[in-house]
Each structure stands twice: as structure tokens, then as C-alpha cells.
Amino acid sequence: MSATFLGIPPFPEAAEKAVNDSQLRHNLRKATHTIRDKRASVVGELHDDWQHLRSEGAAVKEHTLRHLDHYLEQLEESVQRAGGQVHWAADAAEANEIVTRLVKATGETDVVKVKSMATQEIELNEALAEAGITAYETDLAELIVQLGEDLPSHILVPAIHLGRSQIREIFLEQMAEWGVPAPPELTDDPKALAEAARVHLRERFLRTRTAISGANFAVADSGTLVVLESEGNGRMCLTLPETLISVVGIEKIVPTWSDLEVFMQLLPRSSTGERMNPYTSTWTGVTPGDGPQEFHLVLLDNGRTDVLADTVGRQALRCIRCSACLNTCPVYERTGGHAYGSVYPGPIGAILTPQLRGMSSEVDEALPYASSLCGACYEVCPVAIDIPEVLVHLREEVADSSGHLGEKALMAGAEAVLSSPRALGAVQRAAELGRNAVPRHLPGMVGAWTDTRDVPDVPAESFRQWWDKRGKERG
Amino acid sequence: MSSREQILARVRRALADVPADEPRTRAPGDGFADSHGVGPTLEVLEDRLHDYRALVRRVAPDRVAAEVAAALERRGAARVAVPAGVPQEWFAESSVELLRDSREEPVPVSGLDGVDGVVTGCSVAVAETGTIVLDGGPDQGRRVITLVPDYHLCVVRADQVVDGVPQAVRLLDPSLPLTWISGPSATSDIELDRVEGVHGPRTLEVLLVGSGD
């Protein structure tokens, strides 16, 4: 029923296909530049204070991570005190099993969902489908992706790769299969498309009794969960149903309510480029007579503790999923999100995915190289994650791993030659003798390097030879 | 070992580099500003709300009832939902039918789906970001009543408006269910083009009461 990232080739291959798709390039360029400009304008408005907020945001997150055990226990206690139930999931399979069990206990076979990266990561919808439960995505972009049996390609705007006319076609062809059909006269005006989504989902919201969400923040001292959104689909899911299940990564914690003073400024300005997003909901356990009367919090590890154990890579867990790094990245702008082979694309995905999944595949080993190391991602990151630093760190890990014997042999050879003037001179003289025989395209393993480059001409003499000669001529 | 114990043990192992005596509490930083001095509070709020394409009117304290009546008439509203604790005097000059909602006697969702709008007060408003926060208080009601109707008329008193986000966070009680509203519902999911009005109220109208002096 839905697509998966399984089977997407490693980044270089997937990217080559993407950059040759001119419609995709056009859609991405337009969208990333629009949002980049909006962000720059609302961030600029805060002048020097932006950097103060950024340092404070980074400091809060770093402190939380360094005492994560303490804050997890505090959060659990606060949520339970407020009438919520807390579950712990070591991996995706366990989280899916817990959520499936909780939904089954309600007796429902339909659930509505608020856009959530954590549930995408664990492929919850697929797990629920296997148990006979249909999960309806309610965020407009997620709805487009679900109806189109497509994959998300952006953290904030999962359908960023699609243009309005493509979205119109998906609505016309697929909405009827899932519920209220699109009106036959539907145009590709974004207003008309948004209206079609409103009508399509309205009755579903009013009828469905179980909802699943993630959270942007979980506040340890008060036990409060926070969801930022724009459309009101989040409010519908968080308010109307009787049962609410929130799947939240263990890194989403902030210690105190007052920390939101910082993050409620950093996140909207960094993500949608707005001073504030239209709707934010916060809830603490259950409130008698208002909203869901049963609340479950599922705390998800799924590789996060492995990331935490790496003192350099750990900073990736500060991420608040704003997607500013995607929007500013010259690589993402050209390849789009699917090439990264994960629900977390772009620069943050290039450091988060391989760490979460453990660099166990060719896809994950290629990701730290999906960057020109230009550093634009670090500049815009609201919690100052030094993405280039982590990329280089992960490249080291890839290079140190068991494979890549050819490269290692070459590098060892280069080291031997370059550290000995005599050896270097000998190699240079040999190259000069054969300079007319060097092919434009190199054979074997190093051939890939010359796929897109010409082998440079070997000079008639080396610099050192020229220097010696010049010295002798001048006496 | 339960998953809880397993995860906590893994966290502790991962943090072996953190000195055992590193303090577990952290004083909130004061390196950032409470607000950004962008102009007179109420004018800024008005400007931001306009920016989100909300409707805004400045109202003298003795004109609230007249302006509520005028707003509902412009909207053509005949039946509106209100939280049970909303001040009676707001409706002294209007003839609309009021559907009172409370936690004890809730209006069913189907009923809310049929009303022409909802009228509430607010808890706090933030000028710089054009944000109105509802906390479920007597004049704000259950979260659902400001969500299902397509029109939300919100009465904001000048003394409820602060300049910046940090000031608002300090005034709010996290144990209450909060809804932060910044303009009508909107989406930018199609080509990053902002469109107002998806699932929440498509029209937000704010009556800003008093001069703020």
C-alpha cells in the first residue's frame, strides 16, 4: 500500500537520477529558495538576539543529553502524575508492537495521525496495516504522499518534490479510494487543493476516536508535550479523539517549561520562516472534560543511545527537526530528499541516518559523503549542530572500517612516496619518461575518478628539478 | 530486564564521559532578550495579526458589546458557541443565539460543526509574534469549541498583551491545556505558497480592547 525507502540505491547513484529530473529540480529550487528567503527575513528581524537564542538552544539541548537518564525518569514521573501512561520502546519493532496493542485495546480499526517523523522512522503505518488498522495521515503534505503512494522527501514539507498540477492529479485519482472524493472540477490552485483536503478529512476527524502523534518537545519538569503545526489537523487529532498515543524520541526532552521561551522562538522562525506557526498545542497528561481522556506516551530509543555514545556525533540529537539545513543545502537543492534513502534527508539526515542505523550498509556508508562541506547547514542550524564536523568524523569511521582495502593500499603507497624525497624523485622521473603514454581515462579501481575528470598532463620536469636547474644556472 | 531498564542502562553507558559531579540542574540562561523593542505593544500586535490575514479592530472598553454585535452581524452569524464563563455583557447588544459549552455540559461535536462561529476571551497575547494563547479558562472553554467552528471571534484586553514570547511563557501554567493561535489556520505544503484556511477556523477576528495605557 505504501512505498518504503528499502531498495533505494546509495546516494551517488540515486542523486544522479534525481539531478537529471528537470521537473524535480524546478520544484525544489522554487520551494527551497522561497523558504530560505522567508527564514532569513524573520531571523534578521531579531538581530544579535538570534545568536543568543541559538547558543541558549544549543546549551539547553546539550545539557539535557548529558543528563538524559535523569530527565527521562523525571518526564516519566511528571506524565504519570498528570494522568498519562508511559511506555518504553527499545527499537522500532517494540514501538510498533506497543502502539498496535494500545489501538487494539480501544477496539478501533481506524486512527488519525498528526505528522510525525518518529512514526515515519519506525514505519508505524505499515505495522498497523499488517494488524488490520488503517492510519490516516492528516497533514496536507503527508496526505499527498500517502495518497500518491510516494515517499516523503523533506522533514517539514514531505511533498516538496511535487508541483501543484501533480498534486491535483493525485487528489483526483486517489481521494475517492480513501474517503470523500475530490470534486471533479478541482483546479490546481493551492486554495482549491487545500479546500479539497479540508472536505476530504472533515468527517474523518469528527468520527475517529483514536489518534497518534509525535511531539516537538517533551518538558521533563511539567510533563507537558508540545506540538507545533499550521493547518489545525494537529489540533483536531490532539483534541477530538478519546485516546491519544504519542510516539516521542528520547532526545525530544527539554528540562523545564521555561526552556520553551527559547525554542518557541527558534523553531517557527527556522522551519516555516514565520514569526510563529499558526497553531501550537500543549497538553499535560489528561484534562477531565477537555480532550482525550486516555493518554499514552511511547518513549522511543531505536538507535538514539548509540548516537549518544559517540561524543562527536552526539550533537545530532540536539536536532529540533526544523529543516533549515535542507533548505539551505546546495546538494539537497539539486538532489531532493529521496536520494538520501531515509525519512531524514539533507545534511541532518546525512549525519543522523548512518548513526541511527549503524553504518551497516552501502547506503549508510555513502551518506557522510553526500556533502560539499560548505558549512551553510551549520550557519543556519538553530541549535548550532556542527554538521560538517560530524560528516568528517563519520567519513573517518567509514575509512577505518573493514572494507576499502584498495584505497587503504593506495594511501599507504602515497604516504611512503611522499615522505621520502628520494622515492618521490624516482617516481617523478619515471612519470616524465612515460608522460606521453598516460591515458586520459585511468583503468581499474581509480577509473571512477576519471569518469568526470581528465587526467592532468604530466609536466616535462618537476618543480624541484626546475628549481635545482635554476639555482645552477644563476651560479 | 524491562525495556525501561535497558534504555536507561544504555543511556548511562553512553554517557560514561560525563563527570559524575556535573550538576544536574541548569539555571535558565538570561543571555537572550525578553522582547525586541519593535514598537508600541498594541500596534505591533495589530500589525502582526494583519500580516496573518486575521481581522483586527481596536475597541474602547465601553464599546465591546456594540463591536461584538457588529462583528457577528457582518459575519451573518445567528448561532454561536461560547464558553459558559464568557462575560454576559459582551452580548448585551446582539440577538444571536448562544450555545453555552462547558466541561460539565459539553456541546456535542456535531453541534459545534453546525454553529456559525465561536466567541471567546484569551489568557495571554504576544505582540511580536501576533499570538493569542487560550488556556481553557472560564471565558475560553474547551479546546474543541475554538477548533470546529469556521469563525473565531476573540476578545483580547490590552492588559493581557505582552511584547515577547519569553514574557508569555512565564505567565502561562503548563498544567493547563494550551492553544497558541497565530492567525487563521494555514498551510504552505503546496510549493511553499501560504494558503489561509485548512482545518481550523478559516477566519480569525480579534477585538483589541483598551489603549494599553
Side-chain angles (χ1 to χ4, degrees):
Chain A
M1 183 162 66
S2 61
T4 109
F5 281 104
L6 260 173
I8 289 200
F11 188 81
E13 203 181 314
E16 191 176 350
K17 195 165 154 255
V19 294
N20 287 314
D21 181 339
S22 58
Q23 170 80 54
L24 178 70
R25 293 276 300 266
H26 168 83
N27 292 351
L28 285 169
R29 187 180 159 77
K30 181 162 182 268
T32 54
H33 282 254
T34 306
I35 198 159
R36 221 186 267 185
D37 295 346
K38 282 171 71 181
R39 176 201 165 273
S41 145
V42 296
V43 164
E45 230 175 61
L46 299 191
H47 306 286
D48 294 349
D49 200 40
W50 183 256
Q51 291 307 332
H52 297 145
L53 288 166
R54 189 172 177 247
S55 321
E56 183 68 12
V60 170
K61 280 287 188 175
E62 196 60 25
H63 167 82
T64 314
L65 291 172
R66 290 173 73 84
H67 302 280
L68 193 57
D69 51 336
H70 166 66
Y71 288 118
L72 278 167
E73 288 181 306
Q74 194 187 12
L75 176 70
E76 176 185 48
E77 199 196 318
S78 306
V79 169
Q80 287 170 342
R81 201 174 46 227
Q85 297 179 48
V86 181
H87 312 262
W88 300 69
D91 55 25
E94 190 177 16
N96 288 334
E97 183 266 311
I98 292 169
V99 176
T100 305
R101 178 163 48 79
L102 292 172
V103 175
K104 279 193 166 163
T106 68
E108 300 290 319
T109 51
D110 286 352
V111 296
V112 281
K113 275 188 74 204
V114 193
K115 179 173 158 16
S116 139
M117 296 306 298
T119 59
Q120 287 268 7
E121 175 191 322
I122 62 174
E123 298 184 343
L124 175 64
N125 292 5
E126 290 73 11
L128 288 173
E130 273 175 37
I133 298 159
T134 311
Y136 294 88
E137 294 290 350
T138 64
D139 168 77
L140 178 52
E142 290 283 9
L143 175 71
I144 295 165
V145 168
Q146 186 174 46
L147 292 175
E149 294 182 27
D150 203 344
L151 289 166
S153 71
H154 189 277
I155 290 173
L156 178 72
V157 199
I160 198 170
H161 57 289
L162 298 173
R164 58 185 71 189
S165 58
Q166 295 166 299
I167 295 167
R168 173 180 170 269
E169 271 169 45
I170 291 170
F171 278 14
L172 281 173
E173 282 166 22
Q174 302 297 329
M175 267 187 172
E177 218 172 288
W178 288 78
V180 178
E185 70 281 5
L186 183 68
T187 68
D188 66 0
D189 176 9
K191 260 191 169 12
L193 295 168
E195 169 71 20
R198 179 185 170 98
V199 173
H200 177 73
L201 286 171
R202 188 78 182 181
E203 180 223 8
R204 172 107 36 227
F205 282 133
L206 303 187
R207 194 160 45 96
T208 308
R209 294 170 7 171
T210 302
I212 296 170
S213 83
N216 294 99
F217 305 103
V219 183
D221 72 343
S222 61
T224 308
L225 274 88
V226 184
V227 166
L228 284 77
E229 52 132 355
S230 297
E231 296 164 14
N233 65 305
R235 291 180 68 193
M236 291 278 179
C237 294
L238 301 170
T239 311
L240 288 172
E242 290 159 14
T243 303
L244 172 62
I245 304 163
S246 301
V247 181
V248 180
I250 54 173
E251 83 285 16
K252 292 282 167 187
I253 299 187
V254 295
T256 66
W257 173 252
S258 63
D259 293 322
L260 294 180
E261 293 174 24
V262 180
F263 292 104
M264 286 304 292
Q265 298 192 75
L266 287 174
L267 183 50
R269 288 180 199 257
S270 297
S271 64
T272 48
E274 294 169 303
R275 296 184 180 109
M276 191 62 83
N277 50 296
Y279 295 134
T280 297
S281 297
T282 78
W283 72 97
T284 303
V286 295
T287 307
D290 185 352
Q293 295 302 293
E294 196 179 320
F295 170 56
H296 298 273
L297 170 63
V298 181
L299 291 169
L300 176 71
D301 180 348
N302 202 33
R304 284 160 178 75
T305 45
D306 293 329
V307 187
L308 190 67
D310 184 324
T311 53
V312 179
R314 179 184 293 165
Q315 55 187 310
L317 295 177
R318 286 188 214 150
C319 175
I320 56 174
R321 311 281 189 265
C322 72
S323 67
C325 63
L326 280 62
N327 302 329
T328 201
C329 176
V331 176
Y332 178 87
E333 184 190 328
R334 285 159 182 85
T335 65
H338 292 160
Y340 294 81
S342 153
V343 294
Y344 302 109
I348 187 65
I351 62 170
L352 198 53
T353 304
Q355 293 197 91
L356 284 174
R357 295 201 294 217
M359 287 221 272
S360 49
S361 71
E362 221 187 320
V363 171
D364 294 337
E365 283 202 342
L367 281 173
Y369 296 89
S371 166
S372 66
L373 301 179
C374 78
C377 47
Y378 170 60
E379 293 297 319
V380 297
C381 177
V383 286
I385 301 169
D386 193 339
I387 293 176
E389 182 192 14
V390 182
L391 286 168
V392 171
H393 171 71
L394 295 176
R395 287 181 188 188
E396 264 173 52
E397 268 184 40
V398 174
D400 287 344
S401 66
S402 56
H404 312 278
L405 294 174
E407 284 100 318
K408 280 177 192 154
L410 269 178
M411 285 301 159
E415 187 183 356
V417 171
L418 290 169
S419 53
S420 151
R422 280 188 54 199
L424 180 63
V427 170
Q428 283 171 334
R429 279 191 299 279
E432 284 150 23
L433 289 174
R435 60 190 286 255
N436 293 325
V438 175
R440 285 278 161 222
H441 195 278
L442 296 175
M445 193 185 87
V446 288
W449 191 81
T450 52
D451 282 347
T452 50
R453 299 170 184 84
D454 287 333
V455 177
D457 289 329
V458 178
E461 58 183 358
S462 71
F463 174 81
R464 295 195 314 162
Q465 287 169 330
W466 172 79
W467 184 259
D468 284 346
K469 211 164 71 187
R470 180 175 166 275
K472 280 173 195 150
E473 279 167 11
R474 294 197 174 181
Chain B
M1 191 158 63
S2 72
S3 290
R4 180 185 186 279
E5 298 317 312
Q6 195 190 328
I7 293 170
L8 286 171
R10 287 172 61 89
V11 169
R12 287 177 188 129
R13 254 198 322 274
L15 294 171
D17 63 302
V18 177
D21 59 349
E22 190 175 284
R24 275 181 164 184
T25 50
R26 180 181 171 280
D30 54 3
F32 57 94
D34 275 358
S35 67
H36 300 91
V38 283
T41 311
L42 296 191
E43 279 170 41
V44 173
L45 176 60
E46 208 181 338
D47 172 74
R48 301 304 195 242
L49 286 166
H50 277 302
D51 204 38
Y52 296 137
R53 287 176 224 172
L55 308 170
V56 199
R57 263 163 208 272
R58 295 284 285 272
V59 177
D62 59 348
R63 294 273 306 149
V64 176
E67 290 290 345
V68 167
L72 293 176
E73 195 174 325
R74 275 194 305 275
R75 180 76 189 172
R79 289 171 78 233
V80 297
V82 290
V86 82
Q88 280 300 319
E89 57 269 26
W90 288 359
F91 300 95
E93 295 181 34
S94 46
S95 53
V96 293
E97 184 193 336
L98 300 182
L99 223 62
R100 290 179 188 283
D101 177 277
S102 66
R103 288 183 190 177
E104 296 72 27
E105 291 178 59
V107 176
V109 173
S110 54
L112 291 170
D113 200 25
V115 299
D116 300 316
V118 56
V119 185
T120 71
C122 80
S123 165
V124 180
V126 187
E128 275 183 17
T129 58
T131 305
I132 290 161
V133 188
L134 310 183
D135 71 0
D139 62 343
Q140 299 151 58
R142 298 188 303 138
R143 285 171 283 177
V144 65
I145 66 166
T146 50
L147 175 61
V148 176
D150 203 17
Y151 169 73
H152 180 192
L153 179 62
C154 187
V155 179
V156 177
R157 295 195 319 265
D159 64 7
Q160 294 175 315
V161 186
V162 297
D163 289 308
V165 170
Q167 296 159 315
V169 171
R170 274 168 235 154
L171 291 173
L172 292 166
D173 177 353
S175 72
L176 302 172
L178 303 179
T179 306
W180 301 38
I181 298 170
S182 306
S185 74
T187 184
S188 302
D189 280 353
I190 301 163
E191 299 181 6
L192 274 296
D193 234 2
R194 187 178 154 106
V195 174
E196 277 83 18
V198 197
H199 303 296
R202 285 182 284 190
T203 308
L204 171 68
E205 182 158 7
V206 176
L207 298 182
L208 196 45
V209 184
S211 60
D213 296 334

